[in-house]
Amino acid sequence: MSRPRNYGRVTLWLLITPLLNSIASAANDDCPASRLHLSEPPYDNYLLSDCHTSSHVIVTSPVRGGKDLDPRLLVAWPAGNSGIAIYFEPENGVRGSLGLNLENATSTGNALESLDLGSTDSKNENPRVGVTGLVHFDSPAILTIPILGSIRAIRDYSEGGKTLHPKLQNAVAVVPGDVPGGAAIYRDWLDKQTTTWLTFAQTGDVDAVKIIPGDRYTLRFGQGTYNFTATFNYPQMSQLSPQQVLNSGSQDLVAQNPDQTTSLSFLSYKSKILAGTWRFLTYFGRDSMISVLLMRSILSQGEGGAIEAAISAVLERVNKNDGTVCHEEVIGDYATFLNQQNGVDSSAPSCDYKMVDTDYYLPIVMKDYFVDTETGKDRAEDFLNTKASFLQENAGTSYRDLAQSTAEKIMKTSAPFAASQSIENLIQLKNGESVGEWRDSNNGLGGGRIPYDVNTALVPAGLRAVGRLARDGFFTGHEDWKTLADEYAQIWEDKTLDFFKVTVPANEARDLVTQYVKEAGSSAPAFSERITGDVVFYGLALNGDNNQPIVRVMNTDDCFRLFLLDTTNQTQLSSFLDQTANNILAPFPVGLSTEAGLLVANPAYGGSQSYADNWSNSQYHGTVIWSWQLAMMAAGLQRQLDRCGGDKPGKSASDTHSSIYKFFSFSI
């Protein structure tokens, strides 16, 4: 499929640096490690997990094809959404000339070993854990920037215009070590309890690590190999092993797909399922619920299983006052930082509630598990009676009450459109926010305020789920929801699509595609001769930039409607399936198809240079491929084909269905 304490404590551990490998090996005798190495030049990724801690180490080496990148060693920890990033430059000053890599230890044959050093701080009983390894520099290097504490702080630097927060950076200390030739960097977190340490030691006859005084202390390394250890003493989470994250019927996947199941395990914990590593590596509500919906058939169920971990994490973070589901949590050092920015001396976690799509996934995923599976049915009562504890403001509130608050919000906000089908009554982004659903980058929706996926798929699917949950007794005091939710859903299913429909006459479509290829500066063919009739698709959003009533970008968000709904308006359904089949089978830039998969956006029909610029292949939600959208499209097509009758999609009666089946067969 992005954050150190007392000088004496640091030097104490430098004294025993030579013993760290033996300590790690002894610890791992009774705690076997899970390892994964993924090389994607100029990046080398190493995942290492055991019963003590989980670490993701990334080495960025410009000489391996990333000459515009800064050499970097990054360590990311799921616990506390924390980590370390250290940036280097070549001593010779030639950008792109410094290469670095991890080396395997001769004693173990591994690039990394996990560390559990026990408690080293009288003020903090948490064990100091982390990772150790050998890093090799192929020429002398200068460590220029160390960022220790929070993944969010690292992300602010790497993706936020090289933003460094003085309050965090000023606490970074660089000290010499008692072990000759070594040095250490550490930082006390703002909570006055946690510390992150990074130490370096010589191996063999390499140059001693040299501290270079200046505005900020930096370190100089010679050509050769150094031992590094990265540790911290924040509370750890209980990880689900590859066997634990999968259900009994899917255990063979561990052997068949070891890389994928190890990656899945690295992101799966008993308290929550995490978004991708390293840049996020914490709770994101939408991501975890989409993952559960797409992977429910293989994930572990029941108490302590992956599905309940994901659902409980969402419920724990619901805003109980208005039912809004949390998009992203803020925890660890960054939580303290933001609290202090607001004048509050606290390390309490907080949540981002700006998204408008995430609410609807909650009843959908609850219905999918607690109504549609036998294990879920058996677990529902005990699960819903669980009391929340993660957010202070939710402490003691039952999961049932938190789920009901979200359902109440869904019913309330969907009622205006059910009563009067106007643009004004559709779901819009929140005031002051430029994002609100999965295309949450600056140009993702082209300034649109009323997103296609939310209004045509997520709202009616959420309403259907609320109705079913109500009929199964999940809510109290809302008997009317048993029928009213479905009445609302029917209106949203049938009456929203036309607001987003774009029809481009064939002659105009051919001209626009040809014009787009020129504006994009592409040497690829336009395939305009493939356009033999009107091009039809549903725009990304309404009320876009430059007074665009519809953001005229063809897209893959049809997958939400295919995957989440069983619509009954047959005329509309046939037309919808037909345009979906045409667009996913047609080659880009006529449609969405490429040799690598479906693009999530095709701006060829926008008719202006801004469309080509805003949805380029360098944009986060531009002419790029997202794997989960491919998976949802395939699963959605399968769902619709299954409704046609017969066990095999190939038995469908219409040409449209046959076309869809050709794509489905290709995509999987």
Side-chain angles (χ1 to χ4, degrees):
M1 163 60 253
S2 304
R3 289 187 182 302
R5 207 164 201 154
N6 179 291
Y7 174 92
R9 284 194 291 275
V10 173
T11 54
L12 169 64
W13 289 107
L14 280 173
L15 283 170
I16 65 168
T17 295
L19 301 177
L20 292 178
N21 281 333
S22 61
I23 292 173
S25 297
N28 286 337
D29 287 343
D30 298 321
C31 183
S34 173
R35 304 174 186 275
L36 178 61
H37 176 211
L38 298 171
S39 181
E40 192 175 24
Y43 307 103
D44 264 319
N45 293 268
Y46 299 83
L47 301 183
L48 174 60
S49 301
D50 61 17
C51 56
H52 304 299
T53 187
S54 301
S55 302
H56 180 186
V57 178
I58 308 101
V59 177
T60 305
S61 185
V63 299
R64 299 184 65 203
K67 293 189 180 301
D68 292 333
L69 298 174
D70 295 320
R72 181 186 66 187
L73 175 65
L74 192 150
V75 182
W77 292 305
N81 194 214
S82 55
I84 299 170
I86 51 173
Y87 290 83
F88 302 93
E89 62 183 29
E91 187 178 49
N92 62 22
V94 179
R95 185 169 177 81
S97 66
L98 174 62
L100 59 156
N101 62 276
L102 297 190
E103 292 190 345
N104 292 335
T106 56
S107 58
T108 65
N110 299 319
L112 296 172
E113 297 295 344
S114 179
L115 293 174
D116 180 3
L117 305 177
S119 177
T120 67
D121 188 341
S122 60
K123 296 181 180 179
N124 186 340
E125 295 181 355
N126 296 316
R128 179 177 165 185
V129 297
V131 67
T132 184
L134 299 170
V135 60
H136 178 83
F137 301 91
D138 63 12
S139 64
I142 306 296
L143 190 159
T144 58
I145 298 174
I147 308 173
L148 292 83
S150 171
I151 290 293
R152 291 285 294 268
I154 298 171
R155 208 166 84 200
D156 287 348
Y157 179 79
S158 66
E159 298 182 6
K162 298 191 179 301
T163 298
L164 291 171
H165 303 289
K167 188 170 187 177
L168 304 181
Q169 285 302 109
N170 291 342
V172 176
V174 179
V175 297
D178 288 348
V179 173
I185 308 170
Y186 72 98
R187 186 187 148 248
D188 290 334
W189 289 19
L190 298 176
D191 64 5
K192 301 181 177 64
Q193 297 291 319
T194 309
T195 302
T196 300
W197 294 267
L198 176 64
T199 69
F200 290 97
Q202 294 169 285
T203 68
D205 58 355
V206 298
D207 294 349
V209 182
K210 181 181 179 181
I211 297 177
I212 304 174
D215 292 338
R216 293 190 182 280
Y217 287 111
T218 59
L219 299 178
R220 189 248 181 213
F221 299 83
Q223 180 179 347
T225 302
Y226 295 80
N227 173 261
F228 75 91
T229 67
T231 55
F232 70 139
N233 57 350
Y234 190 84
Q236 299 298 296
M237 301 185 294
S238 181
Q239 185 179 357
L240 296 174
S241 69
Q243 292 76 17
Q244 291 172 322
V245 78
L246 299 173
N247 59 34
S248 59
S250 304
Q251 292 297 307
D252 56 347
L253 293 175
V254 177
Q256 294 174 8
N257 303 98
D259 289 359
Q260 290 91 332
T261 52
T262 298
S263 300
L264 177 61
S265 169
F266 186 83
L267 297 171
S268 302
Y269 297 82
K270 291 184 178 179
S271 59
K272 57 186 172 183
I273 306 298
L274 310 183
T277 184
W278 65 271
R279 294 184 304 129
F280 304 105
L281 203 56
T282 195
Y283 164 93
F284 279 74
R286 176 200 309 122
D287 302 66
S288 58
M289 287 188 283
I290 288 177
S291 297
V292 167
L293 289 169
L294 287 171
M295 296 169 49
R296 194 251 282 174
S297 63
I298 67 169
L299 294 178
S300 54
Q301 302 180 3
E303 187 174 10
I307 294 178
E308 290 192 21
I311 299 175
S312 65
V314 174
L315 290 169
E316 286 277 356
R317 293 158 178 79
V318 169
N319 183 334
K320 72 175 185 180
N321 295 318
D322 66 6
T324 303
V325 174
C326 175
H327 166 57
E328 177 184 5
E329 68 180 0
V330 183
I331 59 173
D333 193 48
Y334 210 77
T336 315
F337 173 67
L338 291 186
N339 286 335
Q340 291 184 0
Q341 296 290 98
N342 293 322
V344 179
D345 188 13
S346 169
S347 297
S350 60
C351 276
D352 173 353
Y353 293 108
K354 66 173 172 281
M355 296 296 166
V356 299
D357 65 337
T358 313
D359 302 339
Y360 303 100
Y361 289 106
L362 179 54
I364 296 170
V365 76
M366 288 184 64
K367 176 261 180 188
D368 192 63
Y369 177 60
F370 292 113
V371 174
D372 293 344
T373 73
E374 292 304 316
T375 301
K377 290 177 184 178
D378 293 339
R379 284 283 300 148
E381 191 66 22
D382 287 343
F383 181 91
L384 293 173
N385 288 334
T386 303
K387 303 298 183 183
S389 59
F390 177 73
L391 294 178
Q392 293 177 356
E393 53 268 35
N394 283 355
T397 306
S398 71
Y399 285 1
R400 184 186 300 275
D401 288 343
L402 291 166
Q404 180 158 316
S405 69
T406 300
E408 288 170 346
K409 178 183 179 182
I410 291 171
M411 293 299 296
K412 179 180 178 180
T413 55
S414 62
F417 185 84
S420 177
Q421 291 79 60
S422 65
I423 289 179
E424 293 75 22
N425 289 334
L426 291 169
I427 300 299
Q428 308 191 22
L429 303 189
K430 295 183 178 181
N431 291 334
E433 298 291 350
S434 59
V435 298
E437 45 84 83
W438 86 270
R439 296 176 186 266
D440 54 355
S441 57
N442 290 336
N443 298 324
L445 286 178
R449 306 298 302 170
I450 303 174
Y452 166 60
D453 62 326
V454 175
N455 285 279
T456 65
L458 294 176
V459 175
L463 287 165
R464 291 291 187 195
V466 168
R468 180 60 188 274
L469 291 169
R471 290 190 291 275
D472 279 48
F474 279 70
F475 307 122
T476 59
H478 294 287
E479 286 294 310
D480 57 328
W481 289 0
K482 294 179 179 180
T483 56
L484 187 61
D486 282 306
E487 292 172 8
Y488 285 4
Q490 193 69 51
I491 295 171
W492 281 85
E493 285 177 7
D494 293 345
K495 303 296 184 181
T496 51
L497 272 182
D498 285 346
F499 288 101
F500 296 87
K501 190 172 184 178
V502 176
T503 301
V504 186
N507 288 337
E508 180 185 351
R510 285 189 284 268
D511 291 342
L512 287 172
V513 166
T514 302
Q515 175 188 341
Y516 166 76
V517 171
K518 293 178 180 178
E519 291 172 343
S522 174
S523 59
F527 294 114
S528 57
E529 72 281 359
R530 301 284 189 95
I531 301 174
T532 58
D534 294 351
V535 173
V536 179
F537 61 90
Y538 295 93
L540 277 182
L542 307 181
N543 299 345
D545 288 335
N546 303 317
N547 298 315
Q548 293 284 309
I550 302 180
V551 179
R552 290 165 55 110
V553 172
M554 185 185 290
N555 59 85
T556 50
D557 286 359
D558 291 351
C559 67
F560 291 101
R561 195 167 169 100
L562 295 169
F563 182 62
L564 297 173
L565 293 175
D566 293 329
T567 57
T568 55
N569 183 326
Q570 294 303 313
T571 300
Q572 185 184 74
L573 175 59
S574 294
S575 175
F576 183 79
L577 289 172
D578 188 58
Q579 66 85 33
T580 299
N582 289 336
N583 296 336
I584 65 177
L585 289 169
F588 175 77
V590 173
L592 298 165
S593 181
T594 73
E595 291 182 357
L598 297 179
L599 302 179
V600 300
N602 174 4
Y605 302 102
S608 72
Q609 182 69 50
S610 63
Y611 272 76
D613 295 340
N614 290 342
W615 286 276
S616 70
N617 60 10
S618 64
Q619 298 295 322
Y620 197 47
H621 296 96
T623 48
V624 296
I625 296 167
W626 285 61
S627 59
W628 71 261
Q629 282 257 306
L630 285 174
M632 186 177 285
M633 182 68 78
L637 291 169
Q638 180 68 75
R639 174 175 179 152
Q640 299 307 319
L641 290 165
D642 286 347
R643 299 173 63 200
C644 298
D647 295 330
K648 295 181 180 180
K651 291 184 178 180
S652 54
S654 71
D655 291 338
T656 294
H657 294 156
S658 297
S659 297
I660 292 176
Y661 181 56
K662 280 198 296 184
F663 166 75
F664 179 72
S665 300
F666 167 78
S667 70
I668 60 173

